[in-house]
Amino acid sequence: MIFDDFSIKSLIRPVPDFPKPGVVFRDITPLFQSPRALRLVADSFIQRYVESDFSHVAAMDARGFLIGSIIAYELNKPLILFRKQGKLPADVLAESYQTEYGEALLEVHADSLCEGDSVLIFDDLIATGGTLLAAARLVRRMGARVHEAAAIIDLPELGGSQKLQDSGIPTFSLTAFA
Ligand code: PRP
Ligand code: ADE
């Protein structure tokens, strides 16, 4: 199957002024309602990473779980969940971060990763990069390294993918909205 940027883009719905005035929210629910589009998205990531050398997949709460768990399953890798504050039951490490429309705390179980681990970090979308940069800081605090940051959508005007790359993190997205 060949990746079709036009049909994937047409299944990402722009919702103006959600959740705040001035934000154009990129809604992925239509994409996930299309089995063909979801398969295209998942297969594109699998094709990119099937030969890559990394030890873990990490997925961001909550929309990042949708795609991250499919990739971990298909590539037979351990899946690490990065969650918003107060959701993980055991000892956590935490990093605060800002997104396009809010401020939050990202947590991960402190025993999730070890020195030498190499982690592919997944989210649905990169806006300011706040979420994936916080995840990268947590990965590094456990002595592990980020193999790549990956997302379905990049919003390059918000600068996140550039910030990730400036922090030494290779970054990949399937599509972008200028
Ligand atoms: C959204 C999105 C990414 C993040 C991207 O998550 O799913 O995780 O924002 O923005 P950033 O690049 O500026 O960090 P949100 O915090 O809305 O949570 P949700 O996945 O639970 O809807
Ligand atoms: N997360 C941060 N900014 C977003 C946007 N514009 N659309 C969807 N999710 C987002």
Side-chain angles (χ1 to χ4, degrees), residues 82-105:
F82 284 68
R83 298 220 60 183
K84 297 205 172 90
Q85 186 174 23
K87 300 288 186 184
L88 290 171
D91 288 344
V92 295
L93 299 176
E95 285 280 338
S96 61
Y97 66 101
Q98 292 199 321
T99 71
E100 192 181 1
Y101 43 72
E103 199 175 340
L105 206 67

Side-chain angles (χ1 to χ4, degrees), residues 19 25 28 60-65 84 97-101 104 122-133 158 160 164:
F25 191 86
I28 56 167
M60 306 301 119
D61 189 352
R63 281 173 270 154
F65 292 171
K84 297 205 172 90
Y97 66 101
Q98 292 199 321
T99 71
E100 192 181 1
Y101 43 72
F122 257 99
D123 210 341
D124 67 318
L125 176 145
I126 303 169
T128 67
T131 307
L132 284 171
L133 281 162
L158 292 170
L164 283 156

